[in-house]
Amino acid sequence: MTEIADKSASILKLAKELNSLQFGEFTLSSGQKSNYYFDDRLLSLHPLGLSEIAAAFLPLIQETSAVAVGGPTVAADPIVGAITMLSQQAGHPLMGFLVRSEAKAHGMGKQVEGPVAEGTDVAIIDGSLSTGGSMFVAIDAAEAMGCRVVKVISILDRHQGGSDKLRERGYNFSTL
């Protein structure tokens, strides 16, 4: 097994232990029904879970030209923070940024928060991917700033159309 496959297996095991992955009947934010629910926050807000996720995501990002990593705020917040810190410790620092679902109506009116600038190659990450709604909000916001999305990663792909849309649009997508 590769190191990333080992990390993925460890993350899955921990997700089950933390009840981050539950089975039953659930309605997702997309409105679709599912026989399982994945609460990535239970995993990414746990010290071992966050450490394993960041360690699995970082090599996938470092294989690209990305100099920054970001994603939809709330779900991606801890993961972005952990990846940026781990990248600094590894000697190849990445900048982090977070994307709101819409621009703030006050202050600077930003949708993207963090030290990312036009022309930056970026990776977009999220906890899970269903139809791709929140992932595409983050991608569109980064691209509207003039960034180039060179990698897209999620912990879980529900195979509900989002990964197909990402690949159809030419994005380099990986999932654990």
Side-chain angles (χ1 to χ4, degrees):
M1 281 182 113
T2 68
E3 185 176 341
I4 293 173
D6 288 343
K7 292 275 184 225
S8 295
S10 174
I11 291 166
L12 176 59
K13 182 177 183 276
L14 186 60
K16 290 177 181 177
E17 290 172 10
L18 297 173
N19 288 322
S20 174
L21 180 62
Q22 297 182 33
F23 297 92
E25 292 186 26
F26 302 94
T27 301
L28 306 175
S29 61
S30 64
Q32 295 183 354
K33 303 290 183 189
S34 178
N35 59 359
Y36 67 94
Y37 182 75
F38 178 62
D39 186 345
D40 55 273
R41 290 162 301 276
L42 289 176
L43 193 58
S44 66
L45 293 171
H46 185 277
L48 179 57
L50 183 57
S51 177
E52 293 288 314
I53 294 165
F57 278 19
L58 184 59
L60 296 172
I61 296 167
Q62 289 177 326
E63 293 173 351
T64 72
S65 58
V67 296
V69 57
T73 192
V74 180
D77 294 2
I79 303 169
V80 168
I83 291 170
T84 59
M85 185 177 75
L86 187 59
S87 71
Q88 173 66 32
Q89 293 171 343
H92 302 287
L94 296 167
M95 295 294 148
F97 64 97
L98 302 172
V99 181
R100 300 174 190 282
S101 57
E102 55 188 46
K104 291 190 326 182
H106 58 281
M108 299 296 290
K110 293 182 178 180
Q111 184 175 12
V112 177
E113 298 287 353
V116 65
E118 183 178 341
T120 304
D121 285 356
V122 302
I124 302 290
I125 60 141
D126 202 355
S128 63
L129 177 70
S130 296
T131 61
S134 63
M135 193 75 87
F136 280 111
V137 167
I139 289 169
D140 292 345
E143 289 179 341
M145 286 186 59
C147 295
R148 187 170 69 114
V149 177
V150 297
K151 186 69 178 177
V152 180
I153 311 169
S154 70
I155 300 168
L156 177 80
D157 179 4
R158 294 182 147 281
H159 300 286
Q160 293 180 316
S163 56
D164 292 336
K165 288 179 200 171
L166 286 167
R167 290 184 179 110
E168 285 169 10
R169 295 185 190 181
Y171 294 106
N172 177 354
F173 173 68
S174 297
T175 187
L176 301 181

